[in-house]
Amino acid sequence: MFNNIPEVKLGIVAVSRDCFPIELSKKRRINVVKACADKNIDIYEAQTIVENETDMLEAIDEVNKAGVNALVVYLGNFGPEGPETYLCKNFDGPCMYVAAAEETQEDLIDGRGDAYCGVLNASYNLGLKNLKAYIPEYPVGLPDEVADMIAEFENIARAIIGVKSLKIIGFGPRPYDFLACNAPIKPLFDLGVNVQENSELDLLASFNEHEGDPRIEAVAKEMADELGSGNNYPSLLTRLAQYEITLLDWAEANKGASKYVAFANKCWPAFQTQFGFCPCYVNSRLTSKGIPVACETDIYGALTEFIIACTTGIAPTLLDINNSVPKDMFEDNSDKFSGYTLKDTFMGFHCGNTACDLLTDYALKYQLIQKRNLEPELPEPNVSRGTLEGNIRPGDVTLFRLQSTAGGQLRSYIANAEIIDVDPKSFGSIAVFAVNEMGRFYRNVLINKQYPHHAGIAFKHAAKDLFEVVKYLGVTDIEWNRPAGCYYCLLYTSDAADE
């Protein structure tokens, strides 16, 4: 587990309507906790059962003393709709509401809890109090099923807790030709995210102050060991190590009241000429440690990556939705594209910011585009060196982005996808992606809703959890790749339509 994302401490509080047997809620809670233990889910079992508001305050005090930061409110029977929802109001962290299913037809008199009905009133009262809570898709189950819901909630809660204590540190203004990464930052503060924007000169000054730092040698050796035969530029590692230490020290010195940090850094073209390298490999290393570093000052990209890291526990990456797959490549590998059309595919690419263990092969290389732009006359690259390049490993992935419009409205898209085991035959960190109905998704969501070119990539199918995270955060405009026959209703593109 990364050291820059939250550790979730789950707790469960059972509630009971006073006209139902309190022992029913107690017995069912005990069975849920046992089912959690059987599945290696660590959860604190509060002994207080909530029937009234006094019980509610005692339960909050109990779970707070136990260090609980994500609360499961368990309706062992119908539940007291007022006190049970005040648990959510008074608990400083994400809450889940889940209910007990009836166990057997042989016990539907004294043993009937009516929690199926109770969830309806709980949800209504949460709405009356304008409270946010996670309610699973089907929130009623036997102990084993409830334990599975709790396991899902743990991933969602980790992201919610992390976002509320995150600081995104940015360096440098956005490049002129990449205004697509520009968006108002007020919605970030509304989410609880702090933002600290700095000048590139601040970063350069700090980098220069780290020259000769005694830690550089050890970090450079670690890089050499990681790169192995892909260490094409051994002499560059000292400067890359100096830069990595600079960013880590800056994060520690500047996170302030926040607990977690992500970066959104300008990375071209002045970076190369002033620092003397491309920062991509360092970006990949920090992201693999749970500290996302988004390219091109993409602040919402940094948040997107951080949410992925919290939700999946796997290092994310940030890629351009970059280029179409050539028809001959598609046809020559038709057996690998079963079920997909050419319009369902694209290539995801970035200069070299993807973690080593997410690549099938990798090497320290140079950024071809920057070589053309900054040093075309040199026979060998110099300041354009520093990318980590290779084909991204095939398998299940999820495309995800949380973004603000120019008018300050939060939007998100989520699409389960697949990286196909086909050689992209190109440069950078790159892969061939396939998404069901990508052509329609590309036109009706990515273009119509004016998303930037950067997509966060989660290295598993995580659409369900990511959907619940952004919904919990209050995002109402959430899109996905709709199946054939399910039409998009997107008529407007102007920001006036957002209001």
Side-chain angles (χ1 to χ4, degrees):
M1 187 60 70
F2 306 127
N3 59 12
N4 187 55
I5 64 175
E7 181 177 344
V8 176
K9 174 66 174 176
L10 291 164
I12 184 170
V13 172
V15 301
S16 175
R17 189 71 169 245
D18 57 8
C19 56
F20 284 79
I22 193 171
E23 287 300 317
L24 185 60
S25 273
K26 180 178 180 180
K27 178 184 71 172
R28 288 174 166 177
R29 183 201 68 207
I30 290 170
N31 289 337
V32 168
V33 172
K34 182 180 183 302
C36 286
D38 292 342
K39 295 175 181 287
N40 296 314
I41 302 167
D42 186 21
I43 189 166
Y44 173 77
E45 182 180 10
Q47 298 305 302
T48 306
I49 297 178
V50 173
E51 289 187 306
N52 53 54
E53 289 188 23
T54 301
D55 295 336
M56 178 272 297
L57 293 173
E58 290 179 5
I60 291 292
D61 185 59
E62 183 181 352
V63 295
N64 284 342
K65 287 179 179 177
V68 171
N69 60 6
L71 185 63
V72 177
V73 180
Y74 179 62
L75 280 66
N77 58 41
F78 188 95
E81 56 201 64
E84 72 192 7
T85 50
Y86 274 114
L87 281 168
C88 181
K89 182 177 177 63
N90 287 277
F91 180 72
D92 186 21
C95 292
M96 176 174 85
Y97 283 74
V98 68
E102 313 298 356
E103 292 91 350
T104 173
Q105 62 182 343
E106 305 301 327
D107 190 17
L108 287 177
I109 306 297
D110 291 334
R112 197 188 80 190
D114 297 359
Y116 187 89
C117 184
V119 174
L120 300 178
N121 280 23
S123 66
Y124 181 74
N125 273 262
L126 288 167
L128 285 176
K129 299 179 177 74
N130 199 29
L131 297 171
K132 295 178 182 176
Y134 169 58
I135 300 177
E137 185 173 352
Y138 185 74
V140 182
L142 297 172
D144 188 64
E145 296 166 326
V146 171
D148 289 337
M149 298 179 210
I150 291 171
E152 291 181 355
F153 174 57
E154 183 174 11
N155 294 330
I156 296 161
R158 188 179 300 109
I160 301 302
I161 295 165
V163 167
K164 301 295 184 184
S165 297
L166 175 66
K167 175 179 278 189
I168 299 177
I169 297 174
F171 286 104
R174 297 156 185 86
Y176 177 76
D177 287 331
F178 273 79
L179 289 176
C181 289
N182 191 5
I185 62 174
K186 184 183 182 302
L188 294 171
F189 291 111
D190 293 340
L191 291 176
V193 176
N194 199 353
V195 180
Q196 176 186 316
E197 296 187 278
N198 310 276
S199 165
E200 290 171 282
L201 290 175
D202 295 323
L203 183 58
L204 181 61
S206 182
F207 174 75
N208 290 335
E209 289 166 4
H210 280 79
E211 185 173 358
D213 189 295
R215 296 170 291 176
I216 289 174
E217 183 178 353
V219 174
K221 183 181 185 306
E222 183 182 303
M223 289 176 169
D225 291 342
E226 181 178 59
L227 291 167
S229 61
N231 185 10
N232 292 325
Y233 305 115
S235 63
L236 186 62
L237 297 189
T238 297
R239 292 181 67 78
L240 293 175
Q242 182 178 331
Y243 180 62
E244 180 173 311
I245 292 167
T246 300
L247 287 179
L248 290 172
D249 282 357
W250 191 283
E252 190 60 34
N254 288 271
K255 65 182 178 182
S258 301
K259 295 180 180 178
Y260 315 106
V261 172
F263 285 101
N265 298 346
K266 188 175 179 183
C267 49
W268 63 270
F271 188 98
Q272 282 74 20
T273 59
Q274 300 306 305
F275 287 79
F277 54 86
C278 281
C280 308
Y281 175 45
V282 173
N283 294 355
S284 81
R285 281 176 52 83
L286 264 62
T287 299
S288 72
K289 300 175 190 292
I291 307 173
V293 185
C295 315
E296 294 154 349
T297 329
D298 183 359
I299 294 175
Y300 282 90
L303 176 59
T304 294
E305 287 191 275
F306 182 76
I307 290 173
I308 290 172
C310 289
T311 306
T312 67
I314 304 170
T317 194
L318 193 69
L319 299 179
D320 292 353
I321 298 176
N322 197 67
N323 59 280
S324 61
V325 174
K327 186 177 180 181
D328 59 351
M329 179 180 286
F330 183 84
E331 292 175 345
D332 289 349
N333 295 277
S334 58
D335 59 317
K336 297 180 180 179
F337 288 104
S338 178
Y340 297 110
T341 70
L342 181 57
K343 289 182 181 179
D344 291 333
T345 67
F346 69 94
M347 287 195 191
F349 155 89
H350 229 272
C351 310
N353 62 345
T354 304
C356 288
D357 61 358
L358 301 176
L359 302 172
T360 58
D361 52 12
Y362 54 85
L364 189 65
K365 295 188 178 181
Y366 69 96
Q367 218 290 336
L368 177 61
I369 298 170
Q370 294 304 322
K371 171 70 169 62
R372 294 174 187 155
N373 185 43
L374 298 174
E375 44 188 14
E377 74 289 348
L378 295 182
E380 295 295 328
N382 183 21
V383 300
S384 56
R385 299 178 300 167
T387 60
L388 183 73
E389 303 198 17
N391 294 342
I392 303 173
R393 74 184 190 195
D396 291 341
V397 293
T398 307
L399 275 61
F400 170 63
R401 178 94 190 175
L402 178 59
Q403 179 71 22
S404 171
T405 66
Q409 179 192 4
L410 284 173
R411 289 175 170 171
S412 181
Y413 67 73
I414 308 165
N416 280 339
E418 180 182 358
I419 291 179
I420 306 298
D421 190 10
V422 170
D423 184 0
K425 300 183 177 181
S426 194
F427 62 96
S429 299
I430 190 167
V432 175
F433 285 73
V435 182
N436 287 321
E437 295 295 317
M438 180 63 191
R440 294 172 58 236
F441 181 67
Y442 174 73
R443 180 62 186 89
N444 291 289
V445 176
L446 302 184
I447 293 176
N448 248 31
K449 294 209 165 185
Q450 301 168 340
Y451 278 100
H453 61 297
H454 284 171
I457 308 299
F459 284 86
K460 62 184 292 189
H461 279 170
K464 182 177 184 294
D465 286 351
L466 290 167
F467 178 85
E468 295 295 347
V469 169
V470 292
K471 186 173 73 173
Y472 199 112
L473 291 172
V475 181
T476 56
D477 188 343
I478 310 171
E479 277 292 359
W480 63 95
N481 55 319
R482 301 189 185 188
C486 183
Y487 297 108
Y488 296 93
C489 300
L490 306 174
L491 303 178
Y492 304 103
T493 58
S494 71
D495 221 40
D498 299 336
E499 303 304 325

